[in-house]
Amino acid sequence: SLALRQSSTSVDSKLETPTTSSSTLDLAKTLEVTHPAFEVIERDIITEYGAYCSLYRHKKSGAELLSVSSEDDNKVFGITFRTPPEDSTGVPHILEHSVLCGSRKYPTKDPFVQLLQGSLQTFLNAFTYPDRTCYVVASQNVKDFYNLINVYTDAVYHPRAVNDANVHAQEGWHLELENKNDPLTYKGVVYNEMKGVYSSPDSLLNRASQRSIFPDNTYGVDSGGDPRNIPDLSFEQFAEFHQRFYHPANSRIYFSGDDDVYDRLEIMDEYLKDFDFSPISTEKSQIKWQAKTFTEPRKEIEYYPVGSNSEQEPKHMINVNWLLNDESMSLSEELVWGILDHLLMGTTSSKLRKALMESGLGEAVTGGGLSDELLQATFSVGLKGVPAEKTAEVEKLIEDTLLEVAKNGFEADDIASSLNTIEFQMREFNTGSFPKGLMLMLGSMSKWLYGKSPTEGLKFEKPLAQLKKQIDESGSQVFQDAVQKYLVANTHRSTVELAPSKTMEEEQLNEEKDRLAALKQKLGDKDLEEIIKKTSELKALQGAEDSPEARATVPSLKLSDLKRETNEFPIAISENENDTGVTVVRHEFGSTSGIAYITLNVDLSNLDLDDVPLLPLFTAMMTETGAGDLDSVALSRKIGTHTGGVGVGLFTTALHPMGTDQSAANSGEYMQTKLQISGKATTDKVDELLSIFKLTLMDAKLDSKKKVIEMLKESRTRLESSIQGSGHSMINARMKARHRVGGYIDEIQGGISYLDTVKVLLKQAEEDWPSLLARFEKIRSTILEPSTVRGGMIIDITGDKMVMEKIQPVVDSFLKELPGDAKGKKLPDFYTDIHPWVPQAKKRMAEMTPIVDEGFVVPTQVNYVGKSGMLYDEGENIPGSAAVVSRFLRTGYLWDQVRVMGGAYGGFCTFSPFSGFMSFLSYRDPNLEKTIDIYDAAADAVMQAADALEADPDALATAIIGTIGDMDGALQPDQKGAAAFQRWMINEHAEYRQKYRDEVLNTSPEDFRAFARRLKDMKQPSVAVVSSKAAFESAAEKGKKMILKDIL
């Protein structure tokens, strides 16, 4: 339930709840809305979230519709179908991709892309679960919102895909052959996406774990699709799956936000009235319970690919998995499990996670603990990086730790900390970049999908009060009982071990080649000619432009619908507040529910560049190794008991030097570099929050050899997984490091080169701890140098008026208690002086990240292909129109060429209007050298697009609207405060933002031509690719040679 995922004791009513007001009375009236086509099933008010809910059933079709009215202007619409698969051909996943490729009312190739290109959407996506498929849109603009709803609704109920086998071929799989003598190949977006998933050891472990405990129901197969099974899916089976499950009677329709309830019902009736009730759809989609049938735990061994040239001995991965329930849990039991999961796994100091990491048996915790989004909950935990001979010890350690918990329970302070953490999250309901309505929708599905009330799982006050009463009466017993019942005494358990294989990658390649070769051998000339013909037809279809008439069917906004003014957020600067030498920045908003969001910034510019790669580890140590008199467990408890969380991170940004043209390409040599301690708390707990800030800053326990070794092993494992599974992000960071000082600094703290640093630091920690400790102590003493520390300190606070007033005395005290001299020396003026790290960083960039074509070798079935360079010289004007053109490239040419025709899961580009840096990237791509050729041809494509846009002003308007949509995303108050702080830190003026927006709105075809010319003349272009050894060898034969480095 949402109560578990959004999961907090002592917050109680310190977070403000809405009071009765005229707006509340207006919301109450929404419960009275009726419509002749619908009957009302139930009405409910979720007071926890100020949500007024009406559940309707469409009389003719049987569709259920949950209408949630709130004050949230970020409106959300979703349709969810129960779609349980019977095999691992990936049919629900392929259908999720395919239904958005044209429909009855909107006969274009890809209305989804048109919406991406030209709407103000704040969310536009679809996703496949093991038992459901969700289609979701969101927008703050009512007209735009209803445009999105129309396209999505027509798509799911009347898709072109079920009548056009080319859609299944493109999105799912097809045989490709251009010449009779060539080998057959498999292509398809989902096929290639899942090859990427099945190249990730973490994904293989998680999938094998789920399969192992669900032998008898739909959760035992892969709804995403196993690449070995995807080619078994026929078009007929694909179309039949839609017919079976995509009926209104099997759908759950959801609305939330501040739009009109009657309008919601009216628009849906237009679609639903075409259907009669279909009991078969609902009967066939019922999810069968997996009974707990194991009389004793089971064990499975699977394999994952490792590089044949691996320097170190490859290690094993292990997960122990439980099926928790085979009948419904009560809301109270679910909340117990939400808290218990945090007690066991939620922080580095949680009992089970701590035991595993401190054991030295492995390098990183796996499994993730509780998973409760489906009909039945599971619990999985284990380790990766385990020596082969130690796997049994991992399993025993997990068993012994859980037995100890069942016997002795948890300390009262630990329970209070976890309970407060979860309650704070539930009450704050801060969903970050996701719309709040989307999170409510996903929470409702955990009950609604299985025949229960959709609002049941969204309420937490009653089960929370019950749980607090139980804890008051019997302490830890409720958690001990849950551990005993659901884990210790539960024999429906599996242990999945993943063993490394140096031959698996080659075996998979050969298996696919042999399968295709055998298939080709069986085919006659006529069959091969038919495949060649279909390949040609599909490519022609993919390459063809939609007619203007077809494009015009997709509804869109007009430029006149757009707001011309930029969104500005409140900011007040108080330099040298109370003569303390510290700057305080404030952002006051209408309401932050009684929560203060505070960040303490401490300057890093006096550090040596040699110590910068240690900063990620140093900042992690500040909250994970203990501080002052508190060990790591006690510090974690203190943070959890009194706050909504504390984190330490790094803030490195280039800025606009004083007196320069902010539209000009920036050198990046003027920078701000800060250590940031961030946290949030209710007003009455801000004193505790700031005491934690001071404690971790001044007195973190740096002499923690064992803990640091654990952290470094975990970092190494995480980086290796990132390079293998998120190669596009890693190569983008690498390419930025070739051109930008800031990019280089980011790369040495978290990019591909940082992996080598982590290995060196691990060796140093194990063999010469005193020398590494001395480096950490030097970092702390340097940043806390009394004569300069206060001059570089900035406190950033976001809150409402009442919050600001209540916390001011605490802030005054904190300012006095901070270290350093209030009248100390001034730091350099970073807005007039080049940052001290820059001269040395530029020298090292030439040595460490030269502008050359690089390839990073990992075991994988897919490629991550990047190309980058500079489009503008320092000082040249970068117009806002460049954002429109680069976005047009991303959602048009690259989408079509790399994804649709190339078969990659993603193809996109990034452009910086600050520096003029441009990069092309692909994700889970079957191609390597072909993708580079596509990048090379991008300039010509933009030039051709400019000519086309001259004749089609609506298409140009679409590109502009989409760009404005990106600029005007929905933000929470803390995000608005952070955005205002960043704008101030980089010295970006409101006048520049307005000028930039005006240039976006006034983009012309000539701007496209100007951008195309710059793309054609890209300066210092280079390539970076993550791929397999075989793919690099093939690319080299075709003239694409790179300097290779083995990563795994």
Side-chain angles (χ1 to χ4, degrees):
S1 77
L2 185 81
L4 300 180
R5 289 195 303 282
Q6 296 299 331
S7 314
S8 280
T9 49
S10 310
V11 208
D12 287 318
S13 37
K14 302 290 193 284
L15 274 76
E16 297 165 15
T17 50
T19 54
T20 304
S21 64
S22 60
S23 60
T24 307
L25 294 173
D26 288 342
L27 288 171
K29 288 179 185 173
T30 65
L31 299 180
E32 301 168 10
V33 176
T34 60
H35 187 286
F38 291 86
E39 59 185 333
V40 178
I41 302 174
E42 65 180 50
R43 311 273 199 195
D44 202 356
I45 302 171
I46 307 170
T47 53
E48 291 89 336
Y49 301 122
Y52 289 70
C53 309
S54 297
L55 181 61
Y56 299 91
R57 180 182 291 113
H58 189 254
K59 294 173 183 175
K60 187 168 185 284
S61 69
E64 290 188 5
L65 184 153
L66 178 64
S67 174
V68 180
S69 293
S70 70
E71 295 181 351
D72 189 358
D73 71 344
N74 196 13
K75 292 160 273 292
V76 174
F77 166 78
I79 299 185
T80 300
F81 299 90
R82 274 199 312 241
T83 51
E86 296 172 353
D87 55 39
S88 294
T89 58
V91 59
H93 187 190
I94 296 169
L95 198 52
E96 174 233 301
H97 280 242
S98 300
V99 300
L100 296 169
C101 294
S103 65
R104 182 182 64 179
K105 282 170 67 176
Y106 310 111
T108 63
K109 285 188 306 178
D110 212 333
F112 173 76
V113 178
Q114 268 186 265
L115 296 177
L116 269 182
Q117 289 170 341
S119 81
L120 300 180
Q121 52 84 17
T122 54
F123 193 88
L124 184 75
N125 215 331
F127 21 91
T128 305
Y129 285 75
D131 62 3
R132 75 196 80 152
T133 310
C134 306
Y135 299 87
V136 186
V137 300
S139 180
Q140 294 167 290
N141 180 292
V142 177
K143 181 179 175 183
D144 188 51
F145 183 52
Y146 284 94
N147 288 345
L148 297 169
I149 290 169
N150 273 298
V151 174
Y152 258 51
T153 306
D154 200 61
V156 296
Y157 291 136
H158 305 289
R160 171 172 71 96
V162 296
N163 300 309
D164 185 349
N166 280 316
V167 179
H168 168 250
Q170 171 182 293
E171 298 297 324
W173 75 276
H174 64 275
L175 289 167
E176 189 157 299
L177 189 66
E178 292 184 342
N179 186 303
K180 212 180 277 189
N181 298 322
D182 292 341
L184 276 175
T185 56
Y186 288 128
K187 283 284 179 73
V189 173
V190 169
Y191 178 73
N192 222 67
E193 176 189 348
M194 297 313 294
K195 282 181 87 171
V197 170
Y198 276 70
S199 294
S200 160
D202 292 328
S203 293
L204 290 171
L205 180 62
N206 293 335
R207 278 168 156 70
S209 295
Q210 179 165 311
R211 187 175 64 245
S212 69
I213 50 174
F214 288 106
D216 306 316
N217 81 349
T218 190
Y219 301 146
V221 299
D222 191 342
S223 63
D226 184 328
R228 291 167 297 187
N229 303 129
I230 288 172
D232 296 332
L233 179 69
S234 71
F235 172 67
E236 290 71 26
Q237 291 168 322
F238 164 83
E240 193 275 330
F241 193 88
H242 179 273
Q243 185 179 7
R244 193 189 330 165
F245 292 128
Y246 277 61
H247 186 280
N250 188 44
S251 62
R252 309 290 188 275
I253 301 165
Y254 172 91
F255 283 86
S256 69
D258 61 358
D259 57 310
D260 185 81
V261 173
Y262 192 86
D263 289 346
R264 297 171 174 179
L265 301 174
E266 188 72 9
I267 192 173
M268 291 316 300
D269 181 47
E270 283 298 309
Y271 291 94
L272 300 176
K273 67 186 182 184
D274 293 344
F275 295 88
D276 293 317
F277 180 66
S278 168
I280 295 172
S281 293
T282 53
E283 288 164 15
K284 286 187 175 179
S285 71
Q286 295 289 335
I287 312 302
K288 188 176 81 171
W289 285 85
Q290 169 66 59
K292 290 186 181 180
T293 54
F294 298 1
T295 53
E296 59 182 25
R298 296 182 180 179
K299 181 154 187 178
E300 294 182 13
I301 297 182
E302 303 271 348
Y303 295 90
Y304 74 95
V306 294
S308 55
N309 299 330
S310 181
E311 296 169 14
Q312 56 203 51
E313 186 58 35
K315 296 183 178 177
H316 291 230
M317 304 169 72
I318 185 169
N319 252 5
V320 183
N321 317 284
W322 286 264
L323 174 62
L324 295 185
N325 62 312
D326 55 4
E327 58 184 22
S328 295
M329 287 188 189
S330 68
L331 291 178
S332 295
E333 285 177 304
E334 290 178 347
L335 185 57
V336 166
W337 259 104
I339 310 295
L340 178 56
D341 184 47
H342 193 271
L343 283 162
L344 291 170
M345 300 283 290
T347 73
T348 53
S349 299
S350 296
K351 194 158 274 192
L352 184 53
R353 185 169 161 191
K354 186 171 186 283
L356 285 164
M357 284 310 300
E358 290 186 351
S359 69
L361 293 171
E363 296 175 354
V365 174
T366 60
L370 177 71
S371 175
D372 65 342
E373 290 186 322
L374 305 176
L375 177 66
Q376 294 173 265
T378 62
F379 188 85
S380 296
V381 64
L383 281 172
K384 56 182 173 180
V386 181
E389 68 278 7
K390 301 278 189 183
T391 54
E393 290 180 47
V394 174
E395 190 173 3
K396 186 172 189 310
L397 175 61
I398 292 169
E399 290 173 2
D400 291 349
T401 305
L402 293 173
L403 276 168
E404 192 273 329
V405 168
K407 182 181 177 185
N408 299 318
F410 301 96
E411 291 187 30
D413 286 347
D414 287 326
I415 295 170
S417 175
S418 288
L419 195 54
N420 180 73
T421 298
I422 303 303
E423 184 178 354
F424 192 104
Q425 290 171 9
M426 290 192 296
R427 293 192 186 283
E428 181 195 19
F429 196 45
N430 189 329
T431 57
S433 59
F434 287 94
K436 288 182 186 289
L438 170 58
M439 301 311 291
L440 287 173
M441 182 191 112
L442 297 179
S444 72
M445 289 302 159
S446 65
K447 301 294 177 199
W448 194 13
L449 203 74
Y450 309 117
K452 296 185 177 180
S453 166
T455 56
E456 179 187 345
L458 301 175
K459 298 178 177 182
F460 59 81
E461 292 289 10
K462 189 176 176 184
L464 185 60
Q466 290 172 344
L467 179 56
K468 286 180 180 180
K469 188 167 182 285
Q470 280 180 286
I471 292 168
D472 288 342
E473 291 170 355
S474 57
S476 178
Q477 196 59 48
V478 64
F479 301 110
Q480 291 168 248
D481 292 347
V483 170
Q484 178 64 35
K485 175 182 175 181
Y486 290 107
L487 298 176
V488 172
N490 181 1
T491 54
H492 196 102
R493 181 182 108 197
S494 71
T495 299
V496 174
E497 182 180 336
L498 246 61
S501 169
K502 291 188 175 183
T503 60
M504 185 174 175
E505 183 185 8
E506 189 177 353
E507 286 165 2
Q508 287 174 330
L509 279 170
N510 289 336
E511 183 186 333
E512 184 178 304
K513 279 181 188 171
D514 292 346
R515 180 179 180 178
L516 287 162
L519 176 60
K520 189 179 180 188
Q521 201 167 9
K522 288 180 189 172
L523 298 172
D525 282 352
K526 264 192 172 178
D527 299 318
L528 294 175
E529 282 165 11
E530 183 63 20
I531 293 171
I532 292 170
K533 183 185 168 196
K534 284 186 175 177
T535 300
S536 176
E537 286 174 354
L538 179 59
K539 293 202 169 185
L541 178 74
Q542 292 169 330
E545 293 290 332
D546 288 314
S547 70
E549 293 77 20
R551 283 185 66 87
T553 62
V554 179
S556 64
L557 297 175
K558 294 181 168 59
L559 290 177
S560 57
D561 294 320
L562 303 183
K563 188 164 71 78
R564 297 200 73 88
E565 299 76 32
T566 56
N567 290 326
E568 298 297 333
F569 308 125
I571 185 166
I573 319 296
S574 172
E575 294 184 358
N576 189 24
E577 180 150 336
N578 300 342
D579 292 322
T580 58
V582 179
T583 297
V584 181
V585 179
R586 293 178 175 84
H587 317 278
E588 187 178 301
F589 291 93
S591 172
T592 58
S593 303
I595 300 173
Y597 300 89
I598 305 179
T599 298
L600 171 63
N601 295 266
V602 184
D603 194 76
L604 298 170
S605 62
N606 283 330
L607 291 177
D608 292 336
L609 189 61
D610 286 342
D611 289 328
V612 169
L614 273 71
L615 287 172
L617 183 58
F618 178 81
T619 55
M621 291 166 69
M622 287 174 65
T623 54
E624 291 190 25
T625 58
D629 297 331
L630 306 177
D631 64 12
S632 61
V633 174
L635 177 60
S636 179
R637 275 184 199 147
K638 185 176 173 73
I639 291 170
T641 302
H642 299 293
T643 79
V646 173
V648 187
L650 299 166
F651 179 77
T652 303
T653 181
L655 51 85
H656 295 287
M658 202 62 76
T660 57
D661 178 359
Q662 299 198 341
S663 295
N666 193 300
S667 70
E669 296 181 358
Y670 298 82
M671 299 169 61
Q672 283 275 19
T673 50
K674 303 288 186 186
L675 178 147
Q676 293 188 321
I677 309 176
S678 300
K680 53 192 173 186
T682 52
T683 50
D684 63 316
K685 293 288 188 177
V686 167
D687 56 342
E688 294 282 4
L689 177 69
L690 295 179
S691 75
I692 292 166
F693 280 16
K694 184 182 166 196
L695 187 66
T696 54
L697 176 65
M698 299 181 66
D699 214 5
K701 294 180 185 290
L702 301 180
D703 192 0
S704 306
K705 176 180 176 179
K706 188 165 183 262
K707 182 70 175 176
V708 168
I709 289 171
E710 287 169 22
M711 292 163 76
L712 284 166
K713 285 180 177 178
E714 198 167 12
S715 292
R716 181 180 66 193
T717 304
R718 188 180 63 251
L719 282 162
E720 288 173 345
S721 294
S722 294
I723 295 168
Q724 198 167 12
S726 301
H728 60 303
S729 297
M730 302 302 274
I731 58 174
N732 199 38
R734 181 72 173 188
M735 293 188 296
K736 281 182 186 173
R738 297 170 184 168
H739 298 277
R740 309 286 297 165
V741 172
Y744 173 76
I745 289 164
D746 289 343
E747 218 275 339
I748 62 175
Q749 294 180 103
I752 291 172
S753 67
Y754 184 57
L755 178 57
D756 292 331
T757 301
V758 165
K759 291 174 182 176
V760 170
L761 292 176
L762 180 57
K763 191 170 189 293
Q764 188 178 5
E766 289 172 334
E767 297 175 5
D768 188 8
W769 171 248
S771 69
L772 185 55
L773 174 60
R775 293 180 72 185
F776 291 132
E777 288 172 338
K778 180 188 163 198
I779 288 173
R780 180 161 66 190
S781 63
T782 301
I783 64 175
L784 295 181
E785 163 56 43
S787 64
T788 55
V789 63
R790 288 201 176 207
M793 277 185 173
I794 305 169
I795 300 174
D796 185 52
I797 307 172
T798 296
D800 53 41
K801 186 176 183 183
M802 190 189 74
V803 166
M804 295 295 193
E805 289 172 354
K806 283 188 175 179
I807 70 171
Q808 190 54 45
V810 180
V811 173
D812 290 340
S813 300
F814 180 63
L815 289 169
K816 290 176 192 167
E817 294 164 6
L818 284 167
D821 182 356
K823 301 193 184 305
K825 290 188 287 187
K826 283 195 177 296
L827 287 168
D829 183 341
F830 300 114
Y831 300 94
T832 59
D833 301 336
I834 288 175
H835 193 282
W837 295 351
V838 168
Q840 199 174 0
K842 289 179 84 171
K843 282 182 191 171
R844 292 189 187 178
M845 286 165 66
E847 301 163 18
M848 307 293 293
T849 54
I851 300 171
V852 295
D853 295 343
E854 294 178 292
F856 302 96
V857 183
V858 299
T860 181
Q861 300 179 61
V862 293
N863 310 298
Y864 301 88
V865 184
K867 180 189 174 183
S868 71
M870 303 300 294
L871 300 192
Y872 291 82
D873 287 328
E874 183 185 343
E876 286 190 303
N877 180 68
I878 303 178
S881 60
V884 180
V885 187
S886 61
R887 192 180 192 281
F888 182 89
L889 258 179
R890 186 176 83 241
T891 59
Y893 173 75
L894 293 171
W895 177 280
D896 289 340
Q897 296 293 322
V898 178
R899 186 188 187 279
V900 174
M901 297 175 74
Y905 186 41
F908 29 86
C909 61
T910 73
F911 175 74
S912 167
F914 189 89
S915 66
F917 173 82
M918 177 90 182
S919 64
F920 296 96
L921 301 161
S922 72
Y923 178 64
R924 293 180 181 165
D925 190 345
N927 306 306
L928 198 166
E929 65 282 350
K930 285 182 183 175
T931 299
I932 296 172
D933 291 339
I934 290 167
Y935 299 158
D936 292 344
D940 293 336
V942 174
M943 195 63 83
Q944 288 169 15
D947 295 337
L949 293 171
E950 288 278 12
D952 190 357
D954 287 345
L956 178 59
T958 295
I960 293 169
I961 291 164
T963 307
I964 293 291
D966 287 349
M967 295 163 65
D968 291 350
L971 301 175
Q972 314 280 353
D974 59 313
Q975 293 173 308
K976 291 176 181 177
F981 179 75
Q982 169 135 356
R983 290 170 174 182
W984 174 71
M985 283 289 280
I986 69 172
N987 191 32
E988 182 188 274
H989 299 158
E991 295 78 12
Y992 162 71
R993 287 191 288 276
Q994 188 60 56
K995 175 177 177 283
Y996 183 84
R997 188 182 185 91
D998 291 342
E999 289 169 347
V1000 167
L1001 288 165
N1002 295 323
T1003 298
S1004 70
E1006 187 50 45
D1007 293 318
F1008 276 70
R1009 294 187 184 96
F1011 193 91
R1013 288 190 287 271
R1014 288 190 177 273
L1015 210 47
K1016 195 84 168 173
D1017 297 332
M1018 179 183 275
K1019 296 171 179 68
Q1020 298 178 306
S1022 61
V1023 166
V1025 178
V1026 170
S1027 188
S1028 64
K1029 185 181 176 186
F1032 282 122
E1033 288 171 351
S1034 173
E1037 288 171 9
K1038 291 161 187 167
K1040 299 288 194 294
K1041 293 184 179 177
M1042 297 163 215
I1043 298 168
L1044 300 185
K1045 178 177 180 179
D1046 283 307
I1047 299 294
L1048 302 177

